[in-house]
Amino acid sequence: MLGAALKHQGYQYLEQARVPSSLAGRQHTVDFVITHPKEVLVSLKWQGTSGTVEEKVPFEVVRLVHLLAQKQQTVQKGSKSKKNLTETELHARKAYIVLAGTGWNQTLKDWYMRGGLQTYLPHPNVQIIDFYAFMNLVNNKEL
């Protein structure tokens, strides 16, 4: 649904792109890397039933803050073995963590979206947002 909305609104993007040199030298897969008209990283966190994804949000913030702090990011699609590897250089300075699904602890979800994590883990260029609010940004071309 998100990919279709991005395409419909004229955004260019890569889906499930890998960033090979992420935190501690580990690879990080970013759900959507918007490449045009602005370069933006989007991490989608789906919680269908109660579980642990809500506890992973702070670490995702750390990973995205780390990526945004780099002068440029290299993202990859495809694979070397299949000889379809492509690399794209970005200068993203904004990222979103999009919270979707009905299984979230609503109190914690609201706390994340109100910026409660900022007190403990400042992240001015990473916005934690509800799926529907993010879709409004996409549809209004406000990313």
Side-chain angles (χ1 to χ4, degrees), residues 85-105:
L85 181 68
T86 60
E87 291 190 338
T88 304
E89 300 295 328
L90 301 174
H91 298 86
R93 295 295 169 252
K94 178 75 176 173
Y96 291 91
I97 298 176
V98 180
L99 309 182
T102 58
W104 288 89
N105 170 310

Side-chain angles (χ1 to χ4, degrees), residues 10 32 35 80 92 102 121:
F32 291 90
T35 58
K80 285 183 183 179
T102 58
L121 187 60

Side-chain angles (χ1 to χ4, degrees), residues 77-139:
K77 285 290 293 181
S79 90
K80 285 183 183 179
S81 64
K82 293 182 181 177
K83 299 183 180 179
N84 66 348
L85 181 68
T86 60
E87 291 190 338
T88 304
E89 300 295 328
L90 301 174
H91 298 86
R93 295 295 169 252
K94 178 75 176 173
Y96 291 91
I97 298 176
V98 180
L99 309 182
T102 58
W104 288 89
N105 170 310
Q106 195 60 47
T107 303
L108 185 55
K109 182 180 179 183
D110 292 343
W111 183 77
Y112 281 143
M113 291 187 306
R114 282 193 319 270
L117 194 56
Q118 290 280 5
T119 302
Y120 307 98
L121 187 60
H123 54 280
N125 296 331
V126 178
Q127 183 176 350
I128 302 172
I129 188 169
D130 176 74
F131 178 78
Y132 296 106
F134 186 76
M135 289 295 287
N136 283 336
L137 292 177
V138 169
N139 290 329

Side-chain angles (χ1 to χ4, degrees), residues 6-136:
L6 289 167
K7 185 176 182 177
H8 180 73
Q9 295 302 331
Y11 290 96
Q12 294 175 12
Y13 64 93
L14 302 170
E15 196 169 347
Q16 295 293 306
R18 296 179 311 280
V19 181
S21 59
S22 185
L23 193 64
R26 295 180 61 194
Q27 178 175 286
H28 183 189
T29 299
V30 179
D31 295 303
F32 291 90
V33 175
I34 299 170
T35 58
H36 182 79
K38 294 180 181 176
E39 296 175 340
V40 179
L41 307 176
V42 181
S43 177
L44 183 60
K45 295 297 177 197
W46 179 266
Q47 183 81 353
T49 60
S50 62
T52 62
V53 85
E54 57 202 13
E55 297 168 3
K56 296 175 183 174
V57 171
F59 188 61
E60 188 67 13
V61 168
V62 170
R63 293 175 90 170
L64 291 172
V65 166
H66 172 77
L67 289 175
L68 295 176
Q70 297 176 14
K71 272 190 168 178
Q72 74 180 32
Q73 304 90 17
T74 301
V75 295
Q76 298 177 334
K77 285 290 293 181
S79 90
K80 285 183 183 179
S81 64
K82 293 182 181 177
K83 299 183 180 179
N84 66 348
L85 181 68
T86 60
E87 291 190 338
T88 304
E89 300 295 328
L90 301 174
H91 298 86
R93 295 295 169 252
K94 178 75 176 173
Y96 291 91
I97 298 176
V98 180
L99 309 182
T102 58
W104 288 89
N105 170 310
Q106 195 60 47
T107 303
L108 185 55
K109 182 180 179 183
D110 292 343
W111 183 77
Y112 281 143
M113 291 187 306
R114 282 193 319 270
L117 194 56
Q118 290 280 5
T119 302
Y120 307 98
L121 187 60
H123 54 280
N125 296 331
V126 178
Q127 183 176 350
I128 302 172
I129 188 169
D130 176 74
F131 178 78
Y132 296 106
F134 186 76
M135 289 295 287
N136 283 336

